[in-house]
Amino acid sequence: MTSRRLDHGGRVERDAPLSFRWDGKLMKGFRGDTLASALLANGVRVAARSFKYHRPRGIVGQGQEEAGALVTVGEGARTTPNLKPTTVELEDGLVARPQNCWPSVDFDAGEVNDLLSPFLAAGFYYKTFMGVLGGTREWMVAEKFIRAAAGLGRASPRADPDWYEHVHGHCDVLVVGSGPAGLSAALDCAEAGLDVVLAEQDFELGGDLLTDGKVGDHAAEYHRVETLGELRASGRVRLMPRTMCFGLYDHGVAGLSERVLDPGPDRPRERLHILRARRIIVAAGALERPFVFGDNDRPGVMSADAARAYLRRWGVAPGKRVVVAAANDSGYRAAGALGDAGLHVTLIDSRFAVAPERLAQAEAAGVDVRLGHVPVRARGRKGVEWLEIGRHLGGGRAEPTTKLFCDVIAVAGGWSPALHLTSHARVRPVWSDADACFLPGAAGDPVSACGAAAGVWRRE
């Protein structure tokens, strides 16, 4: 049993173990894992180093929103740098390694840059080697070292042995995202007699249903399986997992990148789909916002929704002692799930008043709730060891009060709709005071948004 893998729960196939290598070390996972969930299950905290100062980076999110860790996957000619481990589906024999570090990710000589950061301000190389030294010869010598330090992962110099397919297609409706809103939109369109393509960047369809408990009076998994069964039975919906919509263009044109399992002589590694749709529905969900506090980039700081997902979907405890820092009710959902799993959980809420039912749910899960407090500074070099919290004074101010020992800080700072694709279609974001975020503005044909991507937070 791996160090953080729970002995029950999750959607991984525990009867299908997989072996993979991380930085030369043999590790174990299960079918259904991502590289990120497998690394967390094996107790890996530092997954990468930051670009300039080589600060340690851990897993922050659970999908494309991951901003902390970039890794290199593969060997030889099939080396692919700068991948997010949260989007890499674990396969047997997979080889991955950290980037931007030497000799290892845990002991990186480049970390000296962090200690010298007061002297390495933005653009210091131009000011120093061009302004102070002032000579072309000096700049040319310095340029070699600057270029050697630049960049992150390294691409293989060998020719790519795989091949790639370019496909054109048409449909009546393209639905982007397979969460509750996306599945519902696809089903409604299919029942109206339209030809539908449902694209999902994850390797499993369902979005938040993969980690949620209930949808109305039904279990989330029951709702997911039932809806997918209806979509398949309709004969009008093409389900496309492992397919990311990366762009929307004029006249209903969408660009899709599909990852193909087991590439070989008769199967491409990826397919580029140029899809022309009469209507495009963006159901890409929303992204959880972080809190701003001191050293909030330390390994162990992650979104509260990601912490809940690793627990519920992959059966991995993100840590043993968790502090959930919340500014809204969704933090209570994550804290309750973590507390029910037997973890030691403290929830600090920046608000001074919360609905009584929320407090009752937290108490039932064994969660210690402290209202009117915010995170001030995380402590720990290669991972969170404790968090300094303070009394919330408003206006971005806090009075430090105490410290909480923990190895994970799960932050729930609110939600923002994923506006990337609607912005491609020239739908201007509009600020909402009520939601404290930007929402997609009035959309014109052929693009519209639904669900959390449109700022609709509740399910009927």
Side-chain angles (χ1 to χ4, degrees):
M1 187 62 63
T2 50
S3 57
R4 287 193 180 178
R5 181 80 67 180
L6 301 179
D7 58 5
H8 63 281
R11 303 177 56 84
V12 293
E13 300 178 30
R14 297 175 185 270
D15 58 348
L18 304 175
S19 298
F20 70 101
R21 288 193 175 274
W22 167 252
D23 202 16
K25 300 176 182 177
L26 183 64
M27 296 184 178
K28 299 290 184 180
F30 295 111
R31 184 181 300 157
D33 266 323
T34 63
L35 177 58
S37 66
L39 290 176
L40 287 175
N42 283 274
V44 175
R45 302 194 73 186
V46 182
R49 291 282 176 163
S50 68
F51 166 63
K52 184 175 180 180
Y53 296 129
H54 290 248
R55 290 166 68 91
R57 291 284 183 261
I59 305 298
V60 176
Q62 58 161 318
Q64 286 288 351
E65 78 280 6
E66 172 61 43
L70 293 177
V71 302
T72 296
V73 175
E75 295 180 292
R78 287 191 169 91
T79 297
T80 304
N82 301 329
L83 293 180
K84 300 177 180 182
T86 51
T87 64
V88 176
E89 184 176 357
L90 193 66
E91 300 176 42
D92 197 39
L94 182 142
V95 176
R97 61 182 182 274
Q99 299 181 166
N100 202 40
C101 56
W102 182 87
S104 71
V105 70
D106 291 316
F107 181 77
D108 180 20
E111 195 172 8
V112 68
N113 287 0
D114 193 21
L115 302 176
L116 298 176
S117 59
F119 306 100
L120 304 179
F124 79 94
Y125 23 80
Y126 299 113
K127 299 173 184 177
T128 301
F129 296 107
M130 296 183 72
V132 177
L133 299 180
T136 303
R137 179 177 300 175
E138 291 85 350
W139 168 249
M140 292 179 66
V141 172
E143 183 182 19
K144 295 180 181 180
F145 296 97
I146 294 172
R147 288 190 178 276
L152 288 173
R154 296 189 178 186
S156 173
R158 304 181 188 178
D160 192 338
D162 296 315
W163 61 284
Y164 301 81
E165 202 167 43
H166 193 165
V167 182
H168 288 265
H170 298 78
C171 66
D172 292 323
V173 181
L174 166 65
V175 179
V176 181
S178 68
L183 293 178
S184 178
L187 185 58
D188 288 345
C189 292
E191 291 175 345
L194 302 175
D195 292 324
V196 182
V197 170
L198 177 61
E200 169 58 57
Q201 64 188 7
D202 202 337
F203 58 84
E204 198 169 7
L205 300 172
D208 200 44
L209 295 175
L210 300 173
T211 59
D212 227 341
K214 286 188 175 182
V215 177
D217 296 329
H218 299 286
E221 179 62 10
Y222 173 83
H223 177 78
R224 187 186 79 90
V225 172
E226 183 182 46
T227 306
L228 287 175
E230 293 177 3
L231 291 175
R232 293 187 176 99
S234 70
R236 291 188 171 276
V237 181
R238 181 182 176 188
L239 302 176
M240 297 182 65
R242 303 181 180 88
T243 303
M244 180 178 64
C245 180
F246 60 80
L248 299 181
Y249 308 94
D250 293 338
H251 312 297
V253 176
L256 308 174
S257 176
E258 179 188 6
R259 304 187 307 276
V260 180
L261 288 181
D262 301 322
D266 58 341
R267 292 171 63 85
R269 186 177 184 180
E270 292 182 5
R271 291 190 182 96
L272 171 63
H273 295 265
I274 305 299
L275 188 67
R276 291 165 173 83
R278 294 182 178 179
R279 187 80 187 180
I280 300 173
I281 300 176
V282 177
L287 303 176
E288 192 165 36
R289 297 193 297 269
F291 268 102
V292 177
F293 56 94
D295 288 324
N296 67 345
D297 63 340
R298 292 304 184 193
V301 179
M302 62 172 54
S303 77
D305 194 57
R308 183 178 65 93
Y310 287 115
L311 184 80
R312 287 280 183 84
R313 180 175 175 182
W314 292 290
V316 175
K320 295 181 179 180
R321 301 180 67 90
V322 182
V323 174
V324 178
N328 57 75
D329 287 351
S330 66
Y332 288 78
R333 181 174 67 163
L338 295 167
D340 287 337
L343 306 182
H344 184 281
V345 182
T346 301
L347 187 148
I348 60 172
D349 195 330
S350 63
R351 301 171 296 180
F352 290 92
V354 180
E357 58 267 24
R358 295 296 183 193
L359 296 176
Q361 291 170 0
E363 182 180 357
V367 177
D368 176 21
V369 179
R370 307 189 185 191
L371 299 179
H373 284 79
V374 293
V376 176
R377 181 173 294 276
R379 300 293 185 178
R381 186 62 190 168
K382 294 181 180 178
V384 172
E385 296 177 3
W386 52 276
L387 172 67
E388 183 180 6
I389 66 173
R391 188 77 174 169
H392 189 202
L393 302 178
R397 297 176 298 116
E399 179 185 2
T401 57
T402 187
K403 62 182 180 181
L404 301 174
F405 289 97
C406 59
D407 54 1
V408 170
I409 304 171
V411 293
W415 294 88
S416 295
L419 301 175
H420 313 70
L421 292 176
T422 52
S423 296
H424 288 188
R426 300 187 181 91
V427 177
R428 296 179 66 87
V430 177
W431 177 258
S432 169
D433 286 329
D435 294 293
C437 65
F438 283 99
L439 302 177
D445 289 337
V447 177
S448 60
C450 70
V456 179
W457 311 114
R458 295 186 179 274
R459 303 172 191 158
E460 300 299 334

